[in-house]
Amino acid sequence: MSSKPEDDKERLFQAAKTIFFHIQDLSSFTNTLIELLNHNMNTQIILTTVKEDSNIRDFFEQMLKIVAEIQSVVDAANKNVQNEPLYSKITMTLSSMFEQSTNVKELYLSAKKVFKNAHIPLIISVLSHGNVLGILASCITALMKFPIMNLQLSDLYRKDTREQSEATTSEKIMSSDPPEANMTDKLKKLQEAFKGENATNPTAFAAEQLEQIIRNLGPALEVLKKATKIMETNISLFKKVPEK
């Protein structure tokens, strides 16, 4: 049973909007990670930027460069500290995500005996143990094969200036649909991105392709989100541990 044209359009617009906010979230979580590295490992990695008039391919190419730079930093730090006697024990404990049985104070003080900055093994362990950077790089590389890379972010969705900045991603996805005057133009651009596929229903096919992007990007985004949250939470715990 074929779908209704209006249903296909709604699927397409909602998928495009979801990708738009996924990209914004990807930039935000990556910037959180960069700030953690710059503050705790004395790096000078430049933050990502997301502009609605930017080409989607340009954003993902920027992301790949940043991921490669972070990987280089992590590899260098890992090489410098992995020969320390306590490193293996520390990283094993950290990679277990600080189970309830972990004595955070003991771990922190042990780490301080070996590392000038006890946050370094935490960052290395979280990124390496979960293969966070590898997952992110593989995901972005796969996504860059999709035809929408030549579109601008605003072709996916343009935020309504009336939206409240504190609204959650899910709230944004469900609100502020594109003005009627812009819907035809957006529909045409999204359909044309996949016009070489000879689909019998261009709108439904484009929606399916965008939904596949969401399925690919979503898990990688969750991995990055979880990693940054673990680092933020436990670095905060370290700061609360008394030195004596």
Side-chain angles (χ1 to χ4, degrees), residues 45-89:
I45 303 172
I46 299 175
L47 298 177
T48 67
T49 56
V50 181
K51 298 179 181 179
E52 292 185 13
D53 59 351
S54 296
N55 186 279
I56 297 174
R57 182 182 301 279
D58 290 342
F59 170 76
F60 281 119
E61 287 180 345
Q62 174 193 192
M63 280 296 306
L64 283 176
K65 290 179 181 179
I66 289 173
V67 169
E69 186 173 2
I70 294 174
Q71 185 66 67
S72 177
V73 168
V74 171
D75 289 345
N78 190 40
K79 183 177 180 180
N80 288 335
V81 303
Q82 64 185 347
N83 292 325
E84 295 289 351
L86 292 178
Y87 178 71
S88 178
K89 178 181 178 181

Side-chain angles (χ1 to χ4, degrees), residues 3-18 190 201 203-212 214-215:
S3 57
K4 297 179 180 179
E6 289 304 315
D7 291 340
D8 292 334
K9 290 180 183 179
E10 180 64 19
R11 278 181 62 200
L12 182 60
F13 288 133
Q14 289 299 320
K17 190 186 298 186
T18 300
L190 291 169
N201 185 339
T203 305
F205 181 79
E208 291 169 2
Q209 293 298 299
L210 295 187
E211 288 165 353
Q212 182 59 52
I214 294 170
R215 286 191 290 271

Side-chain angles (χ1 to χ4, degrees), residues 5 25 30 36 44 49-50 67 84 104-105 115 160 179 196 200 238:
D25 287 344
T30 301
L36 287 168
Q44 295 181 343
T49 56
V50 181
V67 169
E84 295 289 351
V104 177
K105 179 178 179 180
F115 306 106
D160 191 322
T200 56
F238 273 168

Side-chain angles (χ1 to χ4, degrees), residues 154-168:
S154 58
D155 293 329
L156 296 176
Y157 179 69
R158 184 178 290 278
K159 286 193 297 184
D160 191 322
T161 55
R162 294 172 296 178
E163 288 186 1
Q164 296 182 356
S165 59
E166 65 270 17
T168 64

Side-chain angles (χ1 to χ4, degrees), residues 51-201:
K51 298 179 181 179
E52 292 185 13
D53 59 351
S54 296
N55 186 279
I56 297 174
R57 182 182 301 279
D58 290 342
F59 170 76
F60 281 119
E61 287 180 345
Q62 174 193 192
M63 280 296 306
L64 283 176
K65 290 179 181 179
I66 289 173
V67 169
E69 186 173 2
I70 294 174
Q71 185 66 67
S72 177
V73 168
V74 171
D75 289 345
N78 190 40
K79 183 177 180 180
N80 288 335
V81 303
Q82 64 185 347
N83 292 325
E84 295 289 351
L86 292 178
Y87 178 71
S88 178
K89 178 181 178 181
I90 291 170
T91 54
M92 285 180 63
T93 306
L94 289 168
S95 64
S96 69
M97 311 310 177
F98 283 83
E99 297 177 353
Q100 291 184 354
S101 60
T102 300
N103 186 324
V104 177
K105 179 178 179 180
E106 180 182 351
L107 175 65
Y108 174 76
L109 295 178
S110 295
K112 286 289 287 185
K113 293 177 182 178
V114 181
F115 306 106
K116 291 181 179 179
N117 187 338
H119 304 148
I120 291 178
L122 166 64
I123 293 172
I124 295 173
S125 179
V126 171
L127 292 178
S128 300
H129 180 77
N131 191 28
V132 176
L133 300 176
I135 290 172
L136 196 55
S138 296
C139 174
I140 294 173
T141 300
L143 292 180
M144 290 185 71
K145 298 177 182 178
F146 283 82
I148 67 163
M149 291 301 114
N150 294 323
L151 298 178
Q152 293 183 339
L153 283 170
S154 58
D155 293 329
L156 296 176
Y157 179 69
R158 184 178 290 278
K159 286 193 297 184
D160 191 322
T161 55
R162 294 172 296 178
E163 288 186 1
Q164 296 182 356
S165 59
E166 65 270 17
T168 64
T169 297
S170 59
E171 288 171 341
K172 292 173 182 176
I173 291 172
M174 297 302 294
S175 65
S176 191
D177 291 330
E180 188 68 31
N182 296 334
M183 292 182 72
T184 301
D185 181 55
K186 289 182 181 296
L187 177 63
K188 182 179 179 181
K189 287 183 178 180
L190 291 169
Q191 287 176 331
E192 287 184 345
F194 300 98
K195 65 182 180 180
E197 304 292 342
N198 296 319
T200 56
N201 185 339

